[in-house]
Amino acid sequence: MRTKLHIVTGGCGFVGRNMVKYLLAKTVDYILIVDDLSIGQNPITWLEETPQTKTQFSFYEDRVIFIQEDIRNILRSYSSVHLNIEAFLKAKVQIVDVYHFAAVVGGRMKIEEEPLAVAIDLSIDAEFFNWVVKYKPKRVLYPSSSAAYPVSLQTELNHRALKEDDINFDVIKNPDLTYGWAKLTGEYLARLTAQKHKIHVACIRPFSGFGADQEASYPITAIARRFVNKESPIDVWGSGLQSRDFVYIDDVIECTLKALDFVSNGDAINIGSGKQTSFLEIINVFSKISGHQAEVRRLVDKPVGVMHRYSNVQKAKELLNWTSSISLEDGLRLVFEKHLKA
Ligand SMILES: NC(=O)c1ccc[n+]([C@@H]2O[C@H](COP(=O)([O-])OP(=O)(O)OC[C@H]3O[C@@H](n4cnc5c(N)ncnc54)[C@H](O)[C@@H]3O)[C@@H](O)[C@H]2O)c1
């Protein structure tokens, strides 16, 4: 029998870390993380044990192998990486699920101010799907994004709950900058991989995922910290009236796993709460949770992106029997409490 290996690219980032912890808790399999730590956090800070180290990788909790490297270098030299893993584990290894979270993401500032840096995702994804076709893992998860939706459906005067078929590959409409274009292209490659090469691939389109261990460049973390520090005024980017669909990370992970179970042809599924919440409303909820009342200062020179972005959740409900279960208030409380203790 072969030893099972899950691969989590970008496994030290926000979604990746949460996926690795889930796989550690719910499976008995080996997990390979490849992350260049350009944004991600070294596993030594979020996994329990001190690692054993081997020349190319660190080994945690007897099951997690970590390689700090640009994923593209690993994909290009994968046959020797695989041999090293087999030599280290003294077993034949079968790749089962691959979660491809490695990407240049960043917050709004990065997406708007460094569009060419974000376009590196096109290169990462092209190399990734070529690797998939060559090594044929059992199943592949590709995280697209709500940023792939046409921005023309997210304006002040024209917005609606975004539905999966608002993206039509026969009539492509402008998505959110290079980040959105990279995700659209990634989805297209995912479909080709599934349909032409008969490999099980699922795509997800998460909306605004948030959680207690998200980086400070994201708005929920940034606002939570302002409340923990009892700042006054509390800064908000733009008018604060722009809205998003916030979904807690545990819900994102749960829906991702279901999507991988139910979708194999490269199709995409929205992951959201289906609710529209403005940043001013987020501030109100934090006010209630923290008991701290403060003036709001609107920073109108900061980038804010589209005006309204929120999901239609029908497909996840019908196909996966899934809806988000952690309320916005409960999620924000978890974030606030984490930063209070930090
Ligand atoms: N967090 C969300 O709510 C959300 C929403 C929509 C889509 N997504 C998608 O999910 C994926 C993960 O998002 P995230 O929020 O965890 O982002 P993140 O920035 O926290 O994680 C990305 C990880 O990839 C790593 N990385 C970047 N370039 C790399 C490279 N060349 N080689 C190896 N590692 C590299 C980074 O160090 C980081 O750890 C991304 O594809 C993102 O577009 C996330």
Side-chain angles (χ1 to χ4, degrees):
M1 219 180 56
R2 285 172 178 252
T3 298
K4 289 183 178 167
L5 179 76
H6 301 275
I7 300 181
V8 186
T9 79
C12 297
F14 173 55
V15 185
R17 288 192 296 276
N18 283 281
M19 182 57 79
V20 169
K21 286 182 194 160
Y22 177 92
L23 293 172
L24 262 174
K26 302 285 182 188
T27 75
V28 292
D29 307 330
Y30 287 91
I31 302 159
L32 169 65
I33 302 175
V34 182
D35 195 304
D36 65 359
L37 298 187
S38 50
I39 294 287
Q41 300 171 11
N42 195 311
I44 214 155
T45 63
W46 53 275
L47 286 176
E48 299 290 309
E49 284 178 12
T50 317
Q52 293 174 42
T53 46
K54 262 290 229 185
T55 41
Q56 196 181 17
F57 50 76
S58 315
F59 189 56
Y60 293 83
E61 309 203 14
D62 289 337
R63 281 201 286 141
V64 182
I65 299 164
F66 168 54
I67 304 179
Q68 180 181 349
E69 181 61 77
D70 187 319
I71 183 64
R72 291 168 293 179
N73 295 336
I74 298 302
L75 297 172
R76 285 174 205 144
S77 59
Y78 188 75
S79 46
S80 67
V81 171
H82 195 88
L83 285 177
N84 285 346
I85 292 171
E86 289 191 329
F88 181 69
L89 298 180
K90 298 189 181 61
K92 284 278 167 208
V93 166
Q94 181 198 7
I95 307 168
V96 276
D97 296 340
V98 180
Y99 301 90
H100 177 49
F101 296 121
V104 179
V105 189
R108 194 71 229 162
M109 191 68 98
K110 179 121 192 163
I111 290 173
E112 294 211 1
E113 299 302 321
E114 297 179 59
L116 290 169
V118 175
I120 295 294
D121 290 341
L122 292 159
S123 151
I124 294 175
D125 290 349
E127 298 221 24
F128 174 72
F129 282 110
N130 275 288
W131 175 89
V132 167
V133 164
K134 188 166 171 195
Y135 287 91
K136 298 189 175 22
K138 218 165 159 203
R139 308 190 304 177
V140 175
L141 186 284
Y142 178 73
S144 175
S145 168
S146 53
Y149 281 108
V151 288
S152 57
L153 298 177
Q154 305 171 65
T155 67
E156 186 152 14
L157 296 178
N158 182 35
H159 58 90
R160 62 177 187 232
L162 296 161
K163 239 176 135 191
E164 285 80 353
D165 54 17
D166 285 327
I167 292 176
N168 174 350
F169 281 95
D170 293 326
V171 193
I172 285 293
K173 295 193 178 148
N174 199 22
D176 194 352
L177 297 166
T178 49
Y179 182 58
W181 281 111
K183 292 303 182 186
L184 269 182
T185 309
E187 281 196 34
Y188 188 67
L189 300 181
R191 283 171 169 230
L192 287 177
T193 303
Q195 291 163 14
K196 205 170 166 53
H197 297 276
K198 309 287 175 242
I199 294 173
H200 181 128
V201 187
C203 293
I204 49 167
R205 294 182 192 145
F207 280 65
S208 295
F210 73 100
D213 61 339
Q214 194 170 31
E215 278 71 20
S217 55
Y218 288 83
I220 297 287
T221 307
I223 297 172
R225 284 190 173 184
R226 288 173 198 144
F227 273 92
V228 166
N229 296 332
K230 296 196 184 325
E231 288 178 22
S232 188
I234 295 278
D235 288 340
V236 64
W237 288 17
S239 67
L241 294 170
Q242 65 277 19
S243 67
R244 294 293 182 270
D245 179 338
F246 295 99
V247 55
Y248 197 71
I249 185 66
D250 294 5
D251 276 329
V252 173
I253 297 294
E254 185 184 70
C255 186
T256 299
L257 293 158
K258 284 204 161 208
L260 192 54
D261 285 343
F262 285 90
V263 178
S264 59
N265 64 354
D267 256 11
I269 303 246
N270 284 344
I271 303 184
S273 66
K275 298 189 184 97
Q276 195 186 351
T277 306
S278 74
F279 288 92
L280 293 181
E281 288 173 282
I282 294 286
I283 287 180
N284 281 338
V285 180
F286 274 129
S287 256
K288 196 174 133 197
I289 292 170
S290 65
H292 173 60
Q293 303 292 332
E295 292 291 308
V296 174
R297 180 169 58 189
R298 294 166 172 82
L299 303 182
V300 289
D301 56 331
K302 297 285 187 189
V304 292
V306 293
M307 193 62 195
H308 300 297
R309 175 176 288 165
Y310 52 104
S311 67
N312 176 307
V313 291
Q314 211 53 35
K315 189 168 173 185
K317 231 184 247 176
E318 283 168 11
L319 192 66
L320 315 181
N321 190 24
W322 180 87
T323 49
S324 63
S325 61
I326 299 166
S327 71
L328 180 66
E329 184 167 342
D330 286 351
L332 294 183
R333 191 180 299 280
L334 289 169
V335 177
F336 179 76
E337 282 167 1
K338 164 79 192 307
H339 288 282
L340 200 56
K341 285 188 207 132

